[in-house]
Every structure is written in C-alpha cells, then in structure tokens.
Amino acid sequence: CMLVPFAALAEEAPAIKLGQVQWAAHGTKCFAVMTVVLEGDKIVAALIDEYQVGAGMVGVPNSENGFGGFADGKVLYSKRVNAAAYSANMTKAGSTVALDVNYDLIQNFCVGKTVSELEAAIAGFGGDATKAVDAISGATLVDTLGYLQGLLAAAKAAK
C-alpha cells in the first residue's frame, strides 16, 4: 500500500467553483437567481429560481412583515417554492409541464457540459428561442434560451 500525501491529492483534483448571478430570464416582472457549480471547467450542478411579487403565494422570509413595502396581500415569492401553485396558473395558459420540472430539465441540459460547450450550444440556437426549447426534451418554457443564458453567465462568474 502506497501512501499519497494529502497535499498531492488536492493538487490533482480540479477546483470546485460556485457562480451565481441575478438574471432577467423571463419578462420584466420577475428576476431569476442562477447558480452553477463547476468542477474545473465542467458544470456539475445548476439551479434556477425566480422571484416575483404576487398574492396567494408563500413569500420569502419577512415578506409578510413589511419587507419591500408591497401592496396589501402581495409578497415577494420564489417560483420554485410555489411551483405547484404557479404551475396551476400556467395550465390556464395551456402549459402541460410544471414550472419546476421545466427548470430541472434546463438545468440538466447544462450539467456535464463545459462552459465552452454550453456557450457553443447557445450560440448554435442563433438567438432562436424555439430552437432552444426544442433542444431540451420535455421543456416547454418559451424563455428557455434566457434561462440557459443566465446559467452560462453564472458559470462564467464562478470563482
């Protein structure tokens, strides 16, 4: 049995980096927090969450306690935390895939790619939102391209 010094193991392991950005991936009435974990240059985890102001949702902490000065009954809420209620509203517009499932499909598209591979995939869509949706099997969000661009920005911001 050969012993390898711990320092030698650390030198061989790719660096783990975290990147996070606030991003306008979907319209003008909400914002997203895009988070990516890189091992070396490869995306090993990604997370999308969006925040919006509205009524009838579970708000972020202190949202009901005067935080933000929202109109009575309105709160700042996470779409991921409120995915069931938000997705029910989406079905009224014809959506057949829950919001959190869409987010997960988009995230999974990124995992395993290097930053340059994700950048090339996005460039390959040529700005065509339909091509981005079609590239991710099962995803139906018309703003899929915006979510991908946000995750790429998070990956590039990783430190």
Side-chain angles (χ1 to χ4, degrees):
C1 178
M2 184 173 98
L3 294 176
V4 178
F6 181 74
L9 292 174
E11 290 173 15
E12 294 176 21
I16 301 292
K17 300 181 282 185
L18 177 70
Q20 189 173 68
V21 296
Q22 294 175 350
W23 195 258
H26 171 74
T28 60
K29 305 229 187 280
C30 62
F31 71 94
V33 175
M34 305 291 198
T35 306
V36 170
V37 177
L38 296 174
E39 185 174 349
D41 193 35
K42 185 178 279 191
I43 298 168
V44 295
L47 181 66
I48 300 168
D49 199 357
E50 280 188 291
Y51 297 84
Q52 184 168 317
V53 174
M57 301 290 188
V58 175
V60 299
N62 291 322
S63 200
E64 306 84 17
N65 298 321
F67 166 72
F70 304 114
D72 283 345
K74 295 204 175 187
V75 295
L76 176 64
Y77 67 90
S78 157
K79 290 183 180 182
R80 186 173 278 284
V81 168
N82 291 277
Y86 195 88
S87 296
N89 289 335
M90 288 173 49
T91 61
K92 295 174 188 171
S95 177
T96 58
V97 179
L99 182 64
D100 54 342
V101 172
N102 272 289
Y103 287 164
D104 292 346
L105 291 166
I106 295 165
Q107 293 162 187
N108 292 342
F109 177 82
C110 298
V111 170
K113 289 180 174 51
T114 64
V115 175
S116 59
E117 288 169 342
L118 179 57
E119 192 168 36
I122 291 170
F125 303 141
D128 185 337
T130 302
K131 286 182 181 178
V133 174
D134 291 345
I136 301 175
S137 179
T140 60
L141 297 176
V142 295
D143 292 315
T144 294
L145 181 57
Y147 295 110
L148 290 170
Q149 291 166 334
L151 289 170
L152 176 62
K156 287 183 173 185
K159 303 216 183 299

